[in-house]
Amino acid sequence: MSITSTQTVKIKIIAPKQWNDRKAILLTREKGFAAIVHSIKLGFDTTHLRMNADLVPDLYQFQVSQKKGALTFFFDPGTEIRIDSTNIANSTVTHSKSNLEWLAFQEKVQKPSDNRLNAYILEEGRARKKSRVDSAQYWIGQQALEREKLWSETATFIRTNPRSYVSLYLLKVNWFALKNKGLFEQLDKSLAHHRNYRLLQERSKGIARN
């Protein structure tokens, strides 16, 4: 049985002083994986978390007890969060190279694709209301093409950023669509310590056996 080492990971959270001693949580949120939760008490300049060394950098969610919203961000050791007191989701993340890469992917690839897909879904709904079967089928086809385009652009991001933990994450969550494109072999070996890398390595072996 392999034993995963742990490390001390720093995170700085800047919150209103009146929130001192309020409880916050940092957790993973992924389908197929149990959430790994870390409890944090606000009011400290820096919080030190004991975490498995193979779990960062990765996509995490940050929540504050009894406060609106949740922040989804890519957590690197040393990350700083400046809390937006009206909505946690709008909080600012700095000191995380991986989060900058995540935001770049979201802004350049994911959000434009989501906007186009939502527009096609809306047009399909309008066509159905008017009983325009051919038109509805057209917009369904556009949705399928958009999903293919998103996967293609995601693959391009991974190829262009082989040392990025964001690429590692994106390949994992889109494995069913990207597994036959040879992307795992293009990832840099500097990522090999990460849980996601080992998971993809096993999946790649399965493809080779087949």
Side-chain angles (χ1 to χ4, degrees):
M1 181 181 296
S2 62
I3 300 175
T4 301
S5 63
T6 60
Q7 64 179 342
T8 300
V9 179
K10 295 180 181 179
I11 182 170
K12 183 174 183 179
I13 301 168
I14 302 171
K17 288 185 178 180
Q18 59 268 32
W19 289 19
N20 285 0
D21 295 328
R22 184 176 289 274
K23 181 181 177 182
I25 59 172
L26 182 71
L27 70 160
T28 56
R29 280 287 178 87
E30 296 181 50
K31 293 180 180 178
F33 293 92
I36 300 170
V37 181
H38 300 273
S39 181
I40 298 172
K41 183 180 287 188
L42 300 182
F44 295 92
D45 180 59
T46 302
T47 298
H48 298 79
L49 303 174
R50 292 297 296 172
M51 302 179 69
N52 286 352
D54 64 348
L55 293 178
V56 285
D58 211 342
L59 193 68
Y60 280 77
Q61 190 177 85
F62 177 75
Q63 302 172 9
V64 178
S65 176
Q66 299 179 346
K67 293 298 178 180
K68 177 184 177 182
L71 174 68
T72 300
F73 70 106
F74 232 89
F75 180 31
D76 273 323
T79 291
E80 180 177 304
I81 298 175
R82 184 175 293 273
I83 292 180
D84 185 314
S85 59
T86 58
N87 189 336
I88 304 301
N90 297 328
S91 300
T92 303
V93 177
T94 56
H95 299 79
S96 171
K97 177 177 179 291
S98 295
N99 197 63
L100 290 175
E101 294 168 349
W102 173 251
L103 292 177
F105 175 80
Q106 293 297 310
E107 291 299 322
K108 296 177 182 179
V109 179
Q110 188 67 59
K111 288 182 180 179
S113 179
D114 288 345
N115 290 339
R116 291 190 296 267
L117 185 62
N118 289 335
Y120 299 153
I121 291 172
L122 182 61
E123 291 298 334
E124 179 200 346
R126 288 171 176 168
R128 290 189 181 281
K129 285 182 179 180
K130 297 179 180 179
S131 299
R132 296 177 178 173
V133 178
D134 290 345
S135 181
Q137 287 300 316
Y138 170 80
W139 291 113
I140 290 173
Q142 291 299 110
Q143 292 168 45
L145 290 173
E146 182 56 44
R147 293 186 183 96
E148 291 289 341
K149 181 178 180 181
L150 174 59
W151 290 328
S152 177
E153 292 185 358
T154 300
T156 298
F157 180 93
I158 294 170
R159 291 190 191 97
T160 307
N161 301 276
R163 296 175 62 87
S164 172
Y165 290 94
V166 176
S167 294
L168 186 61
Y169 173 83
L170 290 171
L171 184 54
K172 183 186 72 171
V173 298
N174 293 285
W175 181 252
F176 69 98
L178 302 179
K179 61 184 179 181
N180 294 318
K181 295 185 179 293
L183 294 171
F184 175 74
E185 291 73 19
Q186 298 181 44
L187 293 175
D188 194 272
K189 294 297 189 294
S190 62
L191 308 177
H193 70 280
H194 203 282
R195 176 191 65 169
N196 291 343
Y197 188 96
R198 297 197 301 273
L199 175 65
L200 292 175
Q201 192 171 43
E202 289 303 312
R203 289 178 176 177
S204 295
K205 290 178 181 177
I207 291 177
R209 286 193 294 268
N210 294 332

